């Protein structure tokens, strides 16, 4: 047993003592599930440099065993090593990211996305399947619990879809939302298009016209549904929500944190707090995680570790801001951080290419802790037997009571963890319910080719 395996084993043995957990059954009468934000590390991240570290294997990293660190059950890689001292990824406040956030994370290692395609891998990571036509996890939550909300599902870049359950609002940050929330203004100077009296008169007449159309008895079902959606978007309640949102936007203090994720996350939390939004999808790093060359560069523009640091800085800010917000914390927030795939051993250019074995990390704050057992690592990888392949091997698993037992990568008594397993388990842990929706989207969008009985990835399965 090497030090990496020893660290994982010792951490796992103490997790139950360190992170007590209670889970209660949920019914649809309990209200909506927690808010959900999915975050994509664009381009394909390298978990061996983060939450599934490899030491003493120059094909994969330059770390040695003493460089690996642990926080509870989570074993993690350093950001860099100065002399012989490992230096961790740090938050904007200078704290070790994993020491601070281990208790609100579930790390799932050794997940096989079964693809090295950016497009397919993005769908796999965010929906649990590479097939077209399935909503992302955040899109599904937005569709289930965002009906009637003005900005039900916000997407801040990349692949995010609710498959028509609710409209998707594309946003780049607070600036676009400021324009959306002031529909009667235009230009940099925000000149009024109509004076207030004219604007109110036009709004009233539109609502009256909508009511007359809906009163007709000859409307086909699809046409009626479209008109009802338009009428709902023009309702006085929606106008009032937009007004409250606009006021909150203008009065909000903008965060001073150096991460591309923070501005869009700030806007999303504000929309959730003001009752505008149920779920969102965000992206970090553009496609800069796709480091086919210069993988070890510390240049913030193209190095892999600076991109990971940027991502973690944003996630840390997001979790802190959500936990400090009473409205969001009382409902709970789950943040699922994923990427298209993992990465290979070093290539001849000092970069790493695409590899199907990767990791996924779910974070949670507030009431989400009642649903999910955080402070947890599930799954794993190994380099044993990987001498003739170009990346880590996923260790197979099997269910053993309320846990997943780790096996060897070729043990026929187990199975390989897929992203679909994670999504089925997370849907269950979130308590997603479509009992109030006659179209039954959870049935319609069941993750294909995956048993719908959840695995104990996020805690005991009730």
């Amino acid at each position: 047993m090497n030090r990496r395996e020893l660290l994982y084993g010792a951490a796992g043995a103490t997790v139950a003592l360190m992170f007590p957990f209670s889970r209660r059954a949920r019914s649809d009468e309990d209200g909506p599930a927690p808010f959900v934000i999915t975050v994509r590390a664009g381009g394909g991240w390298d978990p061996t440099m983060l939450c599934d570290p490899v030491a003493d294997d120059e094909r994969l990293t330059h770390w040695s065993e003493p460089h690996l660190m642990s926080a509870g059950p989570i074993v993690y890689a350093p950001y860099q090593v100065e002399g012989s001292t490992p230096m961790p990824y740090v938050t904007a406040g200078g704290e070790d990211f994993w020491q601070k956030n281990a208790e609100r994370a579930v790390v799932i290692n050794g997940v096989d996305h079964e693809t090295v395609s950016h497009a397919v891998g993005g769908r796999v990571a965010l929906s649990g399947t590479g097939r077209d036509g399935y909503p992302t996890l955040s899109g599904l939550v937005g569709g289930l619990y965002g009906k009637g909300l003005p900005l039900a599902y916000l997407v801040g870049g990349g692949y995010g879809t609710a498959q028509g359950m609710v409209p998707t609002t594309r946003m780049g940050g607070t600036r676009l939302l400021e324009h959306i929330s002031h529909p009667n203004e235009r230009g940099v100077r925000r000149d009024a298009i109509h004076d207030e009296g004219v604007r109110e008169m036009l709004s009233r007449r539109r609502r009256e016209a909508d009511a007359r159309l809906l009163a007709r008895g000859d409307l086909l079902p699809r046409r009626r549904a479209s008109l009802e959606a338009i009428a709902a978007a023009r309702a006085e309640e929606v106008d009032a929500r937009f007004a409250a949102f606009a006021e909150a936007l203008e009065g909000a203090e903008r965060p001073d944190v150096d991460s591309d994720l923070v501005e869009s996350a700030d806007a999303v939390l504000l929309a959730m707090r003001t009752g505008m939004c149920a779920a969102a999808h965000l992206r970090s790093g553009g496609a800069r995680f796709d480091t086919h060359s210069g993988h070890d560069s510390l240049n913030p523009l193209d190095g892999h570790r600076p991109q990971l640091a940027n991502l973690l800085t944003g996630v840390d800010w997001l979790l802190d801001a959500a936990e400090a917000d009473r409205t969001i914390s009382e409902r709970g927030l789950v943040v699922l951080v994923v990427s298209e795939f993992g990465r290979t051993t070093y290539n001849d250019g000092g970069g790493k290419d695409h590899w199907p074995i990767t990791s996924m990390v779910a974070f949670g704050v507030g009431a989400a802790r009642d649903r999910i057992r955080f402070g947890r690592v599930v799954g794993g990888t190994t380099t044993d037997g990987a001498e003739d392949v170009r990346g880590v091997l996923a260790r197979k698993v099997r269910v053993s009571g309320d846990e997943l037992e780790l096996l060897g990568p070729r043990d026929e008594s187990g199975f390989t963890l897929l992203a679909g397993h994670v999504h089925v388990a997370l849907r269950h842990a979130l308590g997603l319910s479509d009992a109030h929706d006659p179209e039954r989207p959870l049935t319609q969008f069941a993750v294909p080719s995956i048993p719908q009985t959840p695995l104990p990835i996020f805690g005991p399965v009730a």
Side-chain angles (χ1 to χ4, degrees):
M1 177 181 289
N2 60 33
R3 182 172 181 271
R4 180 190 189 217
E5 292 170 333
L6 179 63
L7 282 168
Y8 277 121
T14 60
V15 64
L17 297 176
M18 296 182 64
F19 304 111
F21 172 73
S22 64
R23 178 96 169 257
R24 63 180 179 83
R26 179 187 179 278
S27 67
D28 197 55
E29 286 72 28
D30 288 335
F35 294 111
V36 168
I37 299 174
T38 49
V39 178
R40 177 176 175 176
W45 66 1
D46 180 3
T48 69
M49 291 280 191
L50 186 62
C51 58
D52 189 25
V54 170
D56 298 313
D57 190 332
E58 290 291 322
R59 300 174 309 147
L60 287 157
T61 73
H62 300 302
W63 315 132
S64 63
E65 285 190 11
H67 297 151
L68 301 187
M69 296 175 280
S70 63
I74 298 174
V75 179
Y76 57 100
Y79 176 72
Q80 61 180 327
V81 176
E82 294 184 359
S84 61
T85 305
M87 309 300 292
Y89 292 89
V90 297
T91 67
E95 299 172 83
D96 180 327
F97 174 86
W98 289 110
Q99 293 292 333
K100 178 181 177 183
N101 291 295
E103 293 188 42
R104 47 190 186 186
V106 179
V107 175
I108 308 104
N109 291 325
V111 182
D112 189 352
H113 280 191
E114 302 182 293
T115 184
V116 290
S117 160
H118 286 291
V120 178
R123 292 199 297 271
V124 171
L126 292 162
S127 69
T129 177
R131 298 184 190 177
D132 285 320
Y134 286 81
T136 59
L137 175 71
S138 50
L140 181 63
V141 172
L144 285 169
Y145 303 106
K147 287 182 172 61
L149 301 186
L151 303 173
Y153 183 43
L154 288 168
V155 175
Y159 176 75
T161 174
Q163 286 301 315
M165 288 187 288
V166 289
T168 296
T169 303
R170 295 267 169 179
M171 46 81 73
T174 54
R175 180 168 297 181
L176 177 60
L177 291 183
E178 284 174 349
H179 287 300
I180 293 173
S181 62
H182 293 85
N184 195 41
E185 298 174 354
R186 63 185 169 194
V188 176
R189 293 165 53 188
R190 293 172 57 174
D191 298 321
I193 299 172
H194 303 292
D195 64 39
E196 194 62 24
V198 172
R199 189 193 69 80
E200 290 181 359
M201 180 267 293
L202 290 173
S203 296
R204 184 176 65 255
R205 288 190 175 180
R206 289 191 188 104
R207 286 193 286 269
E208 290 170 352
D210 292 339
R212 286 194 299 271
L213 281 172
L214 288 171
R216 291 173 50 176
D218 59 346
L219 294 174
L220 295 175
R222 188 180 296 273
R223 173 65 170 160
R224 179 172 292 280
S226 298
L227 290 174
E228 286 174 345
I230 293 171
R234 292 173 175 170
E236 288 185 77
E237 179 188 352
V238 173
D239 284 347
R241 286 190 178 187
F242 264 111
F245 182 54
E247 184 178 350
L249 272 174
E250 291 179 353
E253 181 178 349
R254 298 289 179 259
D256 183 20
V257 177
D258 187 17
S259 170
D260 67 341
L261 184 59
V262 169
E263 182 183 0
S264 53
D266 180 42
V268 166
L269 292 183
L270 189 58
M272 289 176 171
R273 181 188 315 139
T274 52
M276 302 283 282
C277 173
H281 170 67
L282 305 175
R283 185 172 63 172
S284 178
R288 289 179 181 166
F289 286 92
D290 200 19
T291 45
H292 290 278
S293 62
H295 188 79
D296 288 335
S297 169
L298 291 181
N299 185 331
L301 296 179
D302 57 22
H304 200 92
R305 283 173 287 158
Q307 296 307 317
L308 289 171
N310 173 70
L311 167 68
L312 297 183
T313 298
V315 169
D316 176 73
W317 179 90
L318 171 57
L319 296 174
D320 281 352
E323 193 143 44
D325 187 286
R326 181 175 178 180
T327 299
I328 296 173
S329 188
E330 285 184 351
R331 178 164 162 181
L333 170 70
V334 170
V335 180
L336 179 65
V337 184
V338 297
S339 196
E340 296 98 295
F341 35 67
R343 304 204 79 82
T344 62
T345 56
Y346 289 103
N347 59 31
D348 292 340
K352 293 186 177 183
D353 303 317
H354 303 177
W355 189 247
I357 310 303
T358 188
S359 297
M360 306 169 79
V361 187
F363 297 91
V365 297
R369 293 173 182 266
D370 295 333
R371 310 242 174 257
I372 295 173
R373 187 172 113 192
F374 292 102
R376 180 176 175 83
V377 177
V378 178
T381 61
T382 182
T383 56
D384 292 340
E387 293 81 6
D388 298 327
V389 296
R390 298 195 59 217
V392 296
L393 300 178
R395 295 180 64 179
K396 291 189 177 180
V397 298
R398 66 183 170 207
V399 178
S400 178
D402 288 333
E403 302 291 337
L404 285 181
E405 179 185 354
L406 278 175
L407 307 171
R410 297 180 178 87
D411 192 323
E412 295 184 359
S413 67
F415 58 91
T416 302
L417 271 179
L418 305 177
H421 292 123
V422 178
H423 277 266
V424 168
L426 189 50
R427 288 180 180 191
H428 176 82
L430 287 168
L432 301 189
S433 172
D434 59 8
H436 60 288
D437 192 324
E439 295 186 5
R440 295 293 188 266
L442 286 176
T443 300
Q444 179 184 354
F445 297 118
V447 181
S449 305
I450 295 292
Q452 298 305 297
T453 301
L455 299 174
I457 294 173
F458 299 98
V461 178

